[in-house]
Amino acid sequence: MASPIIFDMQRLRQQHDLNDPQSLSKFQCTVYDFVQMARTTTNVPEHHLGEFCDIVAHPETWPLAQTMVPEFHSVGKESVSGAVADGGSQSGPGSFDRILDRLDRLGRLPTRVSDRNALTREYELLDQRHLRLVEAIMTGGDGTAAGIPPI
């Protein structure tokens, strides 16, 4: 098991100018480091998790946080933190799972699609579009069979 990652909680309270590339990079590193710490630690205090979620759930910072944490832009909450998945002996959910739960309650995680894959739905829409285009070509655009040339 990997040793827990040390994270200075003061980094969460720093102000970041999102128009400055260096400050932006520091923000993304803070997000990445906090999530890595949450993946390996199960006992992060609730107020730190809440503070982190409030920061990353802001409309201006959410797209930046999504680039650093793949689970923030995946459909549903299929990912489980490595600490809980590997050991399974911890009591209660891991810190990363609690972050995902909070962000889900804040409406930031994408809603779960039914049992079907989102790509399947996209293929269905493309098929419908293709059929409409073929019909328009074959009927001359008027929707009647009169436009179909004899073979």
Side-chain angles (χ1 to χ4, degrees):
M1 185 170 129
S3 61
I5 296 173
I6 307 297
F7 182 83
D8 181 15
M9 295 298 174
Q10 293 299 320
R11 289 174 60 191
L12 283 179
R13 295 172 185 90
Q14 289 178 349
Q15 295 294 322
H16 297 283
D17 178 15
L18 301 180
N19 295 319
D20 177 38
Q22 288 180 333
S23 181
L24 181 70
S25 176
K26 286 181 183 178
F27 171 75
Q28 288 182 316
C29 287
T30 300
V31 169
Y32 180 80
D33 291 344
F34 188 88
V35 168
Q36 290 304 103
M37 183 265 311
R39 289 180 199 266
T40 59
T41 307
T42 58
N43 58 353
V44 177
E46 284 296 321
H47 66 278
H48 291 311
L49 294 178
E51 189 174 348
F52 173 77
C53 289
D54 289 341
I55 291 169
V56 299
H58 191 274
E60 291 180 2
T61 58
W62 180 245
L64 303 171
Q66 283 183 303
T67 62
M68 301 309 295
V69 185
E71 292 85 357
F72 287 177
H73 56 81
S74 64
V75 176
K77 297 184 298 180
E78 288 85 11
S79 305
V80 178
S81 70
V84 174
D86 292 343
S89 61
Q90 287 84 6
S91 60
S95 298
F96 185 66
D97 293 328
R98 294 189 338 244
I99 289 173
L100 290 178
D101 286 339
R102 278 179 179 260
L103 290 172
D104 191 34
R105 284 192 305 254
L106 290 171
R108 279 296 172 191
L109 295 183
T111 56
R112 185 180 299 269
V113 179
S114 62
D115 293 339
R116 298 177 358 185
N117 186 347
L119 194 56
T120 303
R121 177 67 180 140
E122 186 173 346
Y123 284 140
E124 288 173 358
L125 293 173
L126 287 172
D127 285 342
Q128 291 172 6
R129 180 179 176 200
H130 177 72
L131 289 174
R132 285 193 306 269
L133 288 173
V134 168
E135 180 183 320
I137 291 170
M138 295 299 290
T139 62
D142 63 2
T144 62
I148 301 175
I151 295 180

